[in-house]
Amino acid sequence: MTTRPLIGITMGDPVGIGPEIIVKALADNPIYDQCRPLIIGNVEILKKAATIVGQSPDFHPVDDPDQGKFVTGSVDVLDPAGPFSEPINWGRPTPETGRHMETYITTAVDLAVAGKTTAMVTAPINKEALRMGGSRYTGHTELIAERVGCSRYAMMLAGDRLRVVLVTIHIPLKKVHQALTREKVRTTLEITAESLISRFGIPAPRIAVAGLNPHAGESGLFGDEETQTIIPAMEAAADATSAAIEGPFPPDTVFVAAAEGRFDAVVCMYHDQGLIPLKLLHFDDGVNTTLGLPIIRTSVDHGTAYDIAGTGRAGCASLKAAIRMAVLQSNQSVAGVKKT
């Protein structure tokens, strides 16, 4: 049983839905059959969340992952931030809740880097609440990447039917064409290929590339980013990897082909181009995973939902899917090490 990967799960925003969905997810016996979950967060808040969702597990505080019980009905919790100085209210972030949520994340990163956990799963945070706590980061990805010293990474959103990887992420649409460079597109393609092989166990990945413009530019009629930037980057990435890289395809048709199984992932040029089809198919069970990091990180594909926090209404499907993906990547990484 000790071969089950030890997964560090951050509690996320203390006043969001993270505590509730964690308690709900860990009430599922198969989670413990697949892994050893360690919650990095606050026991008292988790207890309140358990009451709200009608669960009564045995909360087991630990100072080190090795002290965990990791059995169904017992939730192991490591709290690196300590108690709150004043009562918290669901849906109402404070500078203190912002500081605590960042501490949960940095601790989870450090545990993974040290090899004390095999992967980290992140519950949702709120960017504004993070700033309220004095953080200089805009979100999970930037914080984690800098802490592990990684500048070469990419965001993948995934479900059973569709995986999308983004070349540009949180920038205004009018700036996308300026941000698209051959190097950025090539790097994203190479990271995607490497990760599909090493983290998902796909030895010969099939990657589709979405064009930036309608009809993928229509031979330059609707824009030249495809011919000047995307195609040269694809050719360079194809030479550097073992992946089959095809496209650029018209963005209005490529996702249909991918959802039907013709491709293992679609590399998209901007945020909504990839997120709209992904959430159409996987609104409840989509997973966010950061490719290219030296550690495994997966996350829910939704926010803190302050409007329903503390009501018990939040679903845990995305969190359970994120845990399953962390387990899959952990097991694949171990298998890859054994093969080499």
Side-chain angles (χ1 to χ4, degrees):
M1 294 295 285
T2 57
T3 58
R4 293 172 298 160
L6 202 164
I7 309 295
I9 304 172
T10 64
M11 193 175 75
D13 192 322
V15 296
I17 62 173
E20 298 169 54
I21 63 175
I22 285 173
V23 173
K24 284 186 176 182
L26 296 190
D28 187 348
N29 290 346
I31 294 292
Y32 285 86
D33 293 336
Q34 299 162 11
C35 69
R36 293 172 287 160
L38 172 69
I39 310 308
I40 301 160
N42 181 274
V43 171
E44 296 306 315
I45 293 177
L46 288 165
K47 287 180 178 178
K48 292 179 181 178
T51 299
I52 290 168
V53 301
Q55 298 289 337
S56 54
D58 171 33
F59 288 97
H60 178 229
V62 301
D63 296 317
D64 187 275
D66 292 338
Q67 299 172 351
K69 296 179 180 178
F70 307 120
V71 294
T72 304
S74 178
V75 177
D76 300 283
V77 184
L78 188 153
D79 185 354
F84 288 87
S85 62
E86 56 187 22
I88 68 163
N89 298 299
W90 299 113
R92 296 184 180 180
T94 67
E96 187 175 34
T97 62
R99 289 191 296 272
H100 279 231
M101 78 170 105
E102 183 168 6
T103 300
Y104 303 150
I105 299 165
T106 55
T107 299
V109 173
D110 294 346
L111 288 172
V113 169
K116 287 186 170 290
T117 60
T118 52
M120 64 179 289
V121 175
T122 53
I125 63 171
N126 179 277
K127 293 179 175 61
E128 181 58 33
L130 196 62
R131 284 195 291 267
M132 287 174 63
S135 178
R136 59 188 178 86
Y137 299 100
T138 58
H140 274 117
T141 304
E142 296 82 2
L143 191 165
I144 296 169
E146 182 172 308
R147 196 161 184 91
V148 299
C150 178
S151 60
R152 184 177 178 275
Y153 58 88
M155 179 187 292
M156 172 187 279
L157 291 303
D160 291 339
R161 295 183 61 193
L162 182 64
R163 301 184 187 98
V164 301
V165 183
L166 308 180
V167 177
T168 65
I169 306 176
H170 299 125
I171 62 174
L173 188 57
K174 66 180 179 180
K175 294 184 179 180
V176 169
H177 76 98
Q178 298 170 338
L180 283 179
T181 64
R182 292 185 185 183
E183 183 61 28
K184 192 167 184 61
V185 176
R186 173 183 175 170
T187 298
T188 304
L189 285 165
E190 291 179 359
I191 293 172
T192 301
E194 294 162 4
S195 299
L196 288 171
I197 295 168
S198 64
R199 295 283 174 86
F200 292 86
I202 303 171
R206 302 162 300 164
I207 301 172
V209 180
L212 173 67
N213 299 296
H215 298 198
E218 195 77 72
S219 300
L221 183 63
F222 303 135
D224 63 2
E225 286 84 1
E226 285 76 16
T227 56
Q228 297 301 310
T229 302
I230 298 174
I231 292 175
M234 290 172 55
E235 292 171 346
D239 290 340
T241 71
S242 61
I245 302 174
E246 299 182 34
F249 294 105
D252 59 350
T253 59
V254 65
F255 300 103
V256 176
E260 291 175 347
R262 283 180 50 194
F263 300 104
D264 300 304
V266 181
V267 169
C268 307
M269 297 303 114
Y270 59 94
H271 184 276
D272 285 7
Q273 184 183 62
L275 269 290
I276 290 172
L278 189 283
K279 291 198 174 185
L280 180 65
L281 295 177
H282 297 290
F283 186 80
D284 291 323
D285 63 350
V287 177
N288 179 348
T289 183
T290 309
L291 310 181
L293 298 176
I295 63 174
I296 296 167
R297 180 259 171 155
T298 67
S299 179
V300 296
D301 184 27
H302 60 71
T304 51
Y306 286 150
D307 58 325
I308 62 170
T311 67
R313 290 161 47 198
C316 64
S318 182
L319 178 59
K320 290 166 71 173
I323 295 171
R324 289 194 298 269
M325 183 178 287
V327 171
L328 180 152
Q329 292 189 30
S330 297
N331 291 338
Q332 180 59 37
S333 294
V334 170
V337 169
K338 290 180 178 178
K339 288 176 184 176
T340 58

